[in-house]
Amino acid sequence: MPLAAAAAVAPCPSPVGLGRPLCRAHAHPRRRRGFRLEASSSASAPAPAPAAADEGAGAGPCPVVRFDMDDFAIADRVTVGLHGRSDEMIFEATVRDPSSELYGSTVVLRQLKSSQAKRRGRRALEVLKKLARRQMMYHSYALQVHGYITPSNAVEQEDVPFVLVHGYHGSYSLRHWLQLSDWLPTLEAMLALDEEQVRRVGDDSVGGPAVTRQLRLIRILMRDLLIGVNYLHTHGLAHTELRLENVHVSPIDKHVKVGILGNAADFHDNDPSNSTVASNNERRELMIAFDMRCVGFIMAKMVLRELMDSSTFFKFKSFLTKGNDPSCLREFLLPILCQNSPSGNIGLQMLDRQWGAGWNLLALLLATKPKKRISCIDALRHPFLCGPKWRIDPSTNIIRWGLGSTAVRMAEDYIYGHHQRRRLAYFVELMEVLNPNLRTENWLHLLPGRWRLLYCTGRHIGLTLRQPSPRILISDVFLTVSSESVDPVFSLTSDIGFRIMPESNWPHDKSGTEGALSVTTSARIAAGRMYINEQDSKESRVTSSRSPRRYLRGKWREVSKMKELPVSLPSVNIAMDEVDVSMSCSSVLNVNSAQKVLQEIRTQTPPEMFDLSKIVCGTYIDARLMVLRGVNGSALLFVRSNPTTDP
């Protein structure tokens, strides 16, 4: 709730619990007193005692100023704390002490009532002392705390609120800005996008479509946020409260400011005698990983505006809480994002750009295991946050991710052209060359789950130019893999959904009778043969060892320089048992009609899905994609599917 929209109160409450109102003017303001803050770990410790301020603003600890209430002219606007906390109140004020360096400037008075809120306030002052060694960075990327206000009496009472005095960067947090209808031109005007901004983001394009404009702005905001968070991490601190409500955009220096560091935590234990190097390193990794996860949530909300809705964000967060791999977020969010955007979702287009680099960065920020989450430095070097002026050498993982993302997007276009099908088959072969999991053990770990058939190099899925009778529309084809025992034995279930459309108006009306075909079998996974093409088998062993490199042409030629390129394609064998087939339909069909429906489903569906025994080997698998090869050599591309709602 912005300060400008807050309700004015007739008798303004006093931030320090005094009987007089805050808005009352006094003729003789008192001179402020400076002191050096002494760190204290106690939540109920009294306010720091006055002491002489350290000299040297650039090198020594920053003096925290103790103010009096008479030093400020309080505005008549008040609001609850930015987090909606009932134990915080925020007032706008103007410094009216002529002897103060802040004379005439606007500040924010944060009134902290409860003991926990007071602890956060004192903690913010302690953090200020620790970060003051690099005041320029602190002022640029953190919400500055100028000091605090003491009550008129010298003895502090427990029921007297604690008041922080910190910098004013407008009434809006980043969440408030993003909720405006004209947030994009407003933030562009505030940031001015001058030469300094061009240097910081590496993108000098001006205007253009909404996707390009938003992507450039998000790069600026994200890079500033990551620099500020990295500044905290390099000083041994974790913010622990990174969210949109805690981030501000300053119109003065055009920087993103992280909020009050009242809950900042040290990487090291409070008792150094009981701490070890291993425990401190583990604590540091967990705290950094927690902050990076919060940065991932901020990025997701900035790019995907649908996540600003609490119910949609709850589904998004529940998907991650259940242990699902964040690399599968696109498949999970696609039906949600396209539900109300039939012409295209801007956030989806931004994340799909640069070979799906945005989804890759989001997956690295939200990785399930803390050790796999990306650091601030690596995130700043990620292709998604680097403009076209910066040449970034992609890693093997980025190249592999780009291949998979491009193959998925091409398959979603449902293209019938021969040259496009040939290109997609080439991308599938590239993925097989760069298979990240060459051992059977990895397949046993990654196979279980629900996979959606996205593309088959041997046959189109669904209707073509034929006009069969009956008209059958294939909806989705799923392959569900579940583990039956400790041994590498799995239950494979192929579910084929279809719809029987009326023959009269089927081109325009796709409604009809729903049905499902299920094929179930058991399979044993074992280490397979070396997957080599026929033309490779005729070559010598020396030539065959270089056979995968013949796929790498054009922009993928750089991959051939990598040492991890396999000699050929190790695969796994999938040995099938007896197959059980069943079909159900919402309407009653006679034997002749059922046979025709079954025959048409077999015509449109790849034979490997109808007869699972024709799947002879797997050649690629990761957390989100899988490629299986059939007995005729055709490749089946699967994408991991997760339900959008609980069953």
Side-chain angles (χ1 to χ4, degrees):
M1 180 178 186
L3 294 175
V9 287
C12 295
S14 173
V16 290
L18 303 180
R20 56 179 172 81
L22 272 176
C23 300
R24 179 180 177 183
H26 290 267
H28 15 275
R30 302 177 184 177
R31 189 176 301 274
R32 73 197 189 288
R33 294 178 293 276
F35 70 93
R36 184 179 61 186
L37 179 67
E38 298 296 337
S40 174
S41 60
S42 174
S44 60
D54 287 56
E55 297 180 358
C62 179
V64 177
V65 180
R66 187 177 68 183
F67 295 92
D68 288 335
M69 201 62 243
D70 299 331
D71 295 339
F72 304 96
I74 311 300
D76 58 350
R77 292 182 292 273
V78 59
T79 182
V80 182
L82 294 178
H83 305 156
R85 290 171 173 161
S86 58
D87 57 354
E88 291 187 8
M89 298 287 284
I90 292 181
F91 298 83
E92 293 183 19
T94 304
V95 180
R96 61 180 185 180
D97 182 7
S99 62
S100 173
E101 297 178 356
L102 302 173
Y103 177 69
S105 60
T106 303
V107 295
V108 175
L109 306 183
R110 182 181 292 262
Q111 182 188 60
L112 311 172
K113 298 179 180 180
S114 66
S115 59
Q116 184 178 6
K118 293 178 185 179
R119 181 196 63 80
R120 291 196 300 266
R122 296 190 182 95
R123 178 59 181 164
L125 297 180
E126 296 175 9
V127 172
L128 170 61
K129 177 186 176 182
K130 188 169 185 177
L131 297 179
R133 281 172 281 182
R134 295 178 64 185
Q135 291 187 38
M136 184 61 68
M137 289 287 293
Y138 173 74
H139 294 162
S140 298
Y141 298 101
L143 202 62
Q144 186 178 4
V145 178
H146 301 297
Y148 74 105
I149 299 176
T150 56
S152 56
N153 54 342
V155 180
E156 183 182 5
Q157 302 175 3
E158 287 296 330
D159 58 345
V160 175
F162 186 76
V163 181
L164 279 182
V165 181
H166 60 81
Y168 175 77
H169 299 289
S171 301
Y172 286 144
S173 65
L174 186 55
R175 181 182 184 88
H176 296 136
W177 285 117
L178 295 177
Q179 287 177 332
L180 296 177
S181 58
D182 57 344
W183 68 274
L184 181 58
T186 304
L187 281 178
E188 283 180 337
M190 177 186 295
L191 294 174
L193 300 184
D194 52 9
E195 294 182 1
E196 173 65 17
Q197 296 290 343
V198 171
R199 185 187 64 82
R200 283 161 55 191
V201 78
D203 188 357
D204 58 354
S205 58
V206 179
V211 178
T212 302
R213 292 175 61 190
Q214 290 191 29
L215 179 58
R216 184 188 183 195
L217 185 62
I218 286 173
R219 280 173 176 166
I220 294 173
L221 298 177
M222 280 296 298
R223 291 188 67 85
D224 255 18
L225 178 61
L226 287 168
I227 292 173
V229 175
N230 182 67
Y231 167 63
L232 295 178
H233 292 171
T234 54
H235 283 74
L237 294 170
H239 191 284
T240 73
E241 271 195 323
L242 289 170
R243 53 177 66 93
L244 287 175
E245 296 84 353
N246 247 345
V247 179
H248 300 262
V249 182
S250 175
I252 300 176
D253 59 3
K254 311 295 189 299
H255 280 298
V256 171
K257 314 283 186 179
V258 295
I260 296 296
L261 304 174
N263 274 348
D266 291 321
F267 291 153
H268 306 290
D269 296 329
N270 293 330
D271 187 4
S273 60
N274 296 332
S275 63
T276 61
V277 176
S279 62
N280 284 335
N281 289 338
E282 182 179 1
R283 176 184 174 89
R284 178 179 181 275
E285 290 179 357
L286 292 177
M287 288 180 140
I288 291 179
F290 182 80
D291 272 359
M292 300 312 295
R293 186 171 184 262
C294 295
V295 172
F297 286 146
I298 292 176
M299 173 184 164
K301 288 184 177 181
M302 284 197 298
V303 178
L304 305 172
R305 303 294 301 283
E306 292 81 1
L307 297 181
M308 298 289 286
D309 180 68
S310 57
S311 60
T312 307
F313 183 72
F314 177 77
K315 296 178 182 178
F316 171 79
K317 199 170 183 179
S318 298
F319 173 84
L320 301 173
T321 306
K322 294 176 182 178
N324 296 311
D325 198 299
S327 61
C328 307
L329 272 172
R330 188 182 187 276
E331 176 73 11
F332 171 75
L333 290 174
L334 196 60
I336 299 177
L337 300 178
C338 298
Q339 186 175 5
N340 299 322
S341 303
S343 60
N345 183 280
I346 292 181
L348 182 63
Q349 295 179 51
M350 281 190 288
L351 295 175
D352 280 342
R353 283 195 173 187
Q354 294 178 287
W355 311 87
W359 294 108
N360 180 260
L361 178 58
L362 199 59
L364 293 175
L365 289 170
L366 301 174
T368 305
K369 296 182 179 180
K371 293 184 178 180
K372 292 187 177 181
R373 289 178 196 157
I374 193 171
S375 64
C376 290
I377 298 297
D378 293 335
L380 288 169
R381 297 169 180 166
H382 196 275
F384 181 72
L385 297 181
C386 297
K389 282 193 170 184
W390 294 349
R391 295 184 177 272
I392 304 299
D393 295 330
S395 62
T396 309
N397 292 331
I398 294 292
I399 293 176
R400 187 184 292 119
W401 181 281
L403 286 171
S405 298
T406 306
V408 169
R409 291 190 61 190
M410 291 175 61
E412 288 175 348
D413 292 337
Y414 204 72
I415 299 174
Y416 286 91
H418 177 69
H419 66 287
Q420 290 150 330
R421 289 178 58 83
R422 183 175 56 189
R423 185 185 179 199
L424 187 50
Y426 169 65
F427 271 68
V428 172
E429 290 177 349
L430 276 179
M431 291 170 55
E432 293 176 320
V433 170
L434 300 178
N435 185 12
N437 299 290
L438 304 179
R439 297 183 179 181
T440 309
E441 293 79 6
N442 297 331
W443 281 73
L444 300 180
H445 173 69
L446 292 171
L447 261 181
R450 185 175 174 86
W451 301 86
R452 181 169 67 93
L453 178 61
L454 196 64
Y455 185 77
C456 177
T457 58
R459 178 174 300 184
H460 275 298
I461 305 172
L463 289 173
T464 60
L465 299 178
R466 298 182 306 108
Q467 297 186 14
S469 178
R471 303 290 196 273
I472 303 297
L473 179 64
I474 303 295
S475 54
D476 284 320
V477 181
F478 293 99
L479 178 64
T480 304
V481 183
S482 57
S483 179
E484 294 183 344
S485 62
V486 181
D487 297 330
V489 177
F490 295 90
S491 174
L492 303 182
T493 303
S494 176
D495 297 312
I496 305 172
F498 62 90
R499 183 179 302 154
I500 307 175
M501 299 179 295
E503 297 186 8
S504 58
N505 55 349
W506 69 271
H508 308 286
D509 185 9
K510 295 298 188 290
S511 62
T513 304
E514 300 287 343
L517 179 67
S518 179
V519 182
T520 305
T521 186
S522 297
R524 180 178 295 273
I525 309 299
R529 56 180 174 78
M530 304 298 284
Y531 181 80
I532 305 177
N533 288 349
E534 295 180 1
Q535 54 184 332
D536 295 332
S537 61
K538 300 177 182 179
E539 301 173 354
S540 63
R541 181 172 181 82
V542 177
T543 309
S544 178
S545 64
R546 301 175 183 175
S547 59
R549 303 182 187 275
R550 66 183 178 83
Y551 294 107
L552 307 176
R553 303 186 300 269
K555 66 177 65 178
W556 309 109
R557 190 174 302 167
E558 296 295 327
V559 185
S560 62
K561 301 178 182 179
M562 299 176 183
K563 296 181 180 180
E564 63 181 68
L565 196 65
V567 173
S568 59
L569 297 177
S571 62
V572 291
N573 279 346
I574 306 176
M576 301 289 182
D577 293 337
E578 295 183 358
V579 180
D580 182 22
V581 181
S582 63
M583 186 177 71
S584 61
C585 189
S586 58
S587 63
V588 179
L589 300 176
N590 55 40
V591 177
N592 187 27
S593 299
Q595 289 179 348
K596 291 182 179 180
V597 169
L598 185 60
Q599 180 62 34
E600 179 60 23
I601 295 174
R602 296 192 62 175
T603 302
Q604 296 188 32
T605 307
E608 293 83 3
M609 296 304 300
F610 188 82
D611 186 1
L612 294 175
S613 61
K614 293 185 178 181
I615 299 178
V616 294
C617 67
T619 55
Y620 181 91
I621 191 170
D622 59 20
R624 58 180 184 141
L625 298 175
M626 177 174 64
V627 177
L628 300 179
R629 286 281 178 175
V631 67
N632 59 356
S634 60
L636 283 74
L637 176 62
F638 293 86
V639 58
R640 190 182 294 274
S641 176
N642 296 278
T644 56
T645 57
D646 295 332

